Amino acid sequence: MQNNLIIYNSLTKKKELFKPLNEPFVGLYVCGPTVYSDAHLGHARPAVIFDLLYRYLTHLGYKVRYVRNITDVGHLENDADEGEDKIEKKARLEHIEPMEVVQKYLNTYYRNMEQLNTLHPSIEPRASGHIIEQQEFIKTLLEKGYAYEVNGSVYFDVAGYNEKYRYGKLSGRVLEELQNNTRVLEGQDEKRNPFDFALWKKASPEHLMNWPSKWSTGYPGWHLECSAMSIKYLGEEFDIHGGGMDLLFPHHECEIAQSTAALGKESVRYWIHNNMITINGQKMARSLGNFITLDQLFSGNHLVLEQPYSPMTIRFFILQAHYRSTVDFSKEALQAAEKGLQKLLKAIENLNKIKPCASSTVDIDILKKRCYEALDDDLNSPITLSHLFDGVRIVNSLIDGTAKIDESGLKALHELFDTFVFDILGLKDESAGAGDEKLTDDLMKIIIDLRQDAKDKKEWAASDKIRNELKNAGIVLKDMKDGVEWEKE
Ligand code: ZN
């Protein structure tokens, strides 16, 4: 398959031509959320960026298997090997089961992801559903001598691994530095080295989520699930592994070590990381009071917000920056994004008013070519958008009569917006659905009034006809005390 997609590989630190291992199939694994709180701004960026990648690869004709995991066990506070499980902590606070915490916040996450118009991944495996696979993985690492057991817990032997392979190849960290900089926390004396990490942890008596194993009743280390599940669903070698830059170290570094030690070879061809977001120039953190959930952002219900921002404004805003740059969520930037999106959608709406001429003074093919070139250049969505705004200028000049377009050009212009704005960038007109609902309500009111008129005049045949025809169309009228209500069957 012919493609010109060049992506930046975080592993080689180079832009590389994308070449799948097994065309036309592409394996894409993205680290998903640890579901212990409402989805927030930090979740929106990777979701939108990897949705863009998924959409673009699919558009190019690849059959993409997109796997995004759900972390529902083993992710401890501060990403450490000691301390409380984030989900268990929330379960204690809310007096509910850990799996209720997961379900509750997963429901919100899915709703928010749909609002952001991200497509569902092909598989969404959960860590708690793959305990056996993770235990098998640990057995392999123990057999190969890259792990050791202490008091019922199993740790990965980073120094031993480093003798054969290079630990730190993704993050660029070297073992000597880690030796000096890793804090030795209380309870870590089980490890041979402070930079070793847990594969299996023996559970303390108060720990809620445990599974039996040959080492102890316990739970898997956080990094292990992604090695076990990516290999299970995408094979020993697969194309792309993605996630936020905050996961690069230690999570992805540890994943590479685990998988390479178990398989004797590299598992992932291309590592892709999206950069972080800031809010008014500051890192988002609960302690800074600028922690904004997506629901708060969409409703405007937060102290730092003066207005709500629609999910599409947020999506557009995220796409306005290249995924490897930082993005600052400031009021001015969000308001500008809101205006920009409206301008783009207005132009697309105005397309329908344009009548073709016998000849053209505008070139749509060149715009289309530029849009592809921008996306092929490491998914450069801001440049793609700037070309689409050239398209907006063309629409405006066609409307005010300073330019002309022929029939095939007009068709190409429609296709340009359909393909890039809606299919690939995944934007949508949020007012469209709302408008339809209002229209339906208005029409139903007219019909119900007509039926009431017929009844008032004792024209029973007419009123029955209205009721029966609506029923045939799947709409049921209900006579209530204070009027008539309708609902879909
Ligand atoms: Zn992961």
Side-chain angles (χ1 to χ4, degrees):
M1 192 180 293
Q2 177 77 30
N3 98 73
N4 302 309
L5 175 60
I6 286 173
I7 49 182
Y8 179 84
N9 189 347
S10 309
L11 189 65
T12 59
K13 320 275 184 291
K14 277 190 210 123
K15 282 187 178 181
E16 294 172 16
L17 182 66
F18 177 64
K19 190 100 187 65
L21 288 156
N22 183 24
E23 286 193 3
F25 302 99
V26 171
L28 168 64
Y29 187 93
V30 177
C31 287
T34 304
V35 273
Y36 69 102
S37 67
D38 280 326
H40 52 76
L41 258 181
H43 289 113
R45 197 173 189 198
V48 168
I49 293 304
F50 290 105
D51 184 60
L52 169 67
L53 178 62
Y54 179 42
R55 285 170 179 268
Y56 191 49
L57 288 169
T58 306
H59 173 80
L60 292 175
Y62 292 111
K63 308 234 173 299
V64 186
R65 183 178 294 162
Y66 174 17
V67 182
R68 184 176 64 199
N69 69 305
I70 303 289
T71 299
D72 59 357
V73 66
H75 195 171
L76 308 188
E77 283 190 288
N78 306 316
D79 298 350
D81 281 342
E82 296 293 332
E84 215 170 348
D85 183 294
K86 293 182 184 200
I87 290 163
E88 286 201 10
K89 186 176 181 184
K90 202 52 172 270
R92 284 201 175 86
L93 279 172
E94 298 192 2
H95 299 285
I96 55 176
E97 281 287 314
M99 281 300 131
E100 274 181 285
V101 173
V102 171
Q103 194 62 51
K104 177 178 167 185
Y105 294 111
L106 204 48
N107 291 346
T108 313
Y109 179 77
Y110 284 143
R111 179 166 48 73
N112 289 155
M113 291 307 111
E114 254 175 48
Q115 287 173 303
L116 287 168
N117 205 26
T118 64
L119 301 173
H120 291 283
S122 327
I123 307 176
E124 286 189 283
R126 291 193 188 188
S128 67
H130 296 76
I131 299 296
I132 292 170
E133 287 84 349
Q134 296 181 74
Q135 291 182 347
E136 290 301 315
F137 211 99
I138 297 171
K139 281 182 204 160
T140 306
L141 291 174
L142 280 166
E143 275 161 27
K144 296 204 169 186
Y146 292 108
Y148 56 93
E149 187 198 338
V150 187
N151 302 330
S153 291
V154 184
Y155 296 97
F156 188 87
D157 177 11
V158 172
Y161 171 79
N162 195 53
E163 280 171 24
K164 179 149 187 204
Y165 306 99
R166 187 163 74 83
Y167 181 79
K169 62 194 295 186
L170 181 67
S171 62
R173 305 196 189 200
V174 290
L175 229 49
E176 294 74 47
E177 271 173 43
L178 286 170
Q179 179 89 56
N180 298 331
N181 296 340
T182 311
R183 280 188 307 152
V184 181
L185 298 169
E186 225 179 306
Q188 280 197 346
D189 42 17
E190 284 180 349
K191 294 182 184 178
R192 288 182 193 164
N193 280 300
F195 44 65
D196 289 351
F197 55 90
L199 299 167
W200 188 263
K201 286 292 285 182
K202 180 181 176 177
S204 54
E206 66 276 13
H207 205 90
L208 298 172
M209 289 186 283
N210 313 309
W211 289 264
S213 78
K214 60 189 289 189
W215 312 290
S216 64
T217 296
Y219 54 93
W222 172 40
H223 314 305
L224 189 59
E225 61 177 282
C226 289
S227 284
M229 300 193 296
S230 61
I231 291 168
K232 179 178 169 96
Y233 294 110
L234 297 174
E236 290 190 353
E237 288 177 82
F238 62 94
D239 300 297
I240 305 172
H241 193 314
M245 215 173 251
D246 53 335
L247 295 176
L248 198 143
F249 188 89
H251 185 57
H252 290 159
E253 196 72 79
C254 295
E255 255 188 81
I256 291 179
Q258 291 165 163
S259 299
T260 309
L263 302 168
K265 62 186 173 191
E266 286 276 333
S267 185
V268 178
R269 287 284 301 275
Y270 305 88
W271 282 89
I272 301 183
H273 290 96
N274 65 276
N275 211 325
M276 300 288 97
I277 57 156
T278 52
I279 297 177
N280 296 316
Q282 280 185 310
K283 204 181 156 196
M284 186 171 83
R286 287 195 166 82
S287 57
L288 295 173
N290 66 358
F291 192 90
I292 305 178
T293 69
L294 291 174
D295 278 341
Q296 287 169 334
L297 195 65
F298 300 159
S299 67
N301 184 21
H302 190 289
L303 283 175
V304 308
L305 298 171
E306 285 169 30
Q307 63 167 94
Y309 295 99
S310 78
M312 277 310 104
T313 299
I314 300 305
R315 184 170 180 117
F316 181 85
F317 180 62
I318 289 170
L319 293 170
Q320 267 187 319
H322 187 254
Y323 74 90
R324 286 195 288 122
S325 324
T326 53
V327 162
D328 186 45
F329 279 71
S330 68
K331 186 180 86 178
E332 293 73 23
L334 283 168
Q335 286 175 347
E338 193 172 37
K339 278 204 191 105
L341 175 64
Q342 289 318 318
K343 201 171 150 190
L344 180 62
L345 294 173
K346 187 79 200 155
I348 295 171
E349 199 185 310
N350 281 342
L351 269 180
N352 295 319
K353 298 182 190 160
I354 297 167
K355 301 267 176 296
C357 302
S359 62
S360 257
T361 59
V362 290
D363 186 351
I364 307 304
D365 288 341
I366 186 96
L367 264 189
K368 180 175 155 188
K369 190 167 163 279
R370 285 177 184 154
C371 286
Y372 277 117
E373 280 169 0
L375 287 170
D376 282 339
D377 183 14
D378 196 24
L379 287 182
N380 202 326
S381 54
I383 299 292
T384 312
L385 278 170
S386 78
H387 294 315
L388 290 169
F389 275 95
D390 288 340
V392 169
R393 276 184 280 281
I394 289 177
V395 172
N396 293 340
S397 57
L398 292 167
I399 294 280
D400 68 22
T402 52
K404 288 190 299 182
I405 196 161
D406 62 15
E407 202 167 333
S408 70
L410 187 57
K411 191 165 165 265
L413 194 53
H414 273 281
E415 278 173 11
L416 179 86
F417 287 120
D418 276 349
T419 303
F420 289 95
V421 176
F422 301 123
D423 294 349
I424 298 174
L425 296 181
L427 295 163
K428 64 176 184 184
D429 187 351
E430 289 167 310
S431 64
D436 288 351
E437 256 170 52
K438 189 177 177 306
L439 182 65
T440 309
D441 278 340
D442 290 350
L443 288 173
M444 281 309 299
K445 192 171 178 310
I446 294 170
I447 294 168
I448 288 169
D449 284 350
L450 281 172
R451 177 165 167 268
Q452 194 55 47
D453 284 351
K455 280 172 91 174
D456 291 347
K457 293 181 200 153
K458 299 200 167 27
E459 292 168 2
W460 307 118
S463 87
D464 286 350
K465 185 172 186 220
I466 291 173
R467 171 186 283 271
N468 293 337
E469 293 287 315
L470 284 172
K471 188 157 185 4
N472 288 341
I475 293 167
V476 185
L477 294 183
K478 290 200 287 190
D479 289 303
M480 312 295 277
K481 245 195 308 190
D482 47 358
V484 179
E485 283 183 8
W486 67 276
E487 64 181 25
K488 285 190 193 153
E489 264 184 319

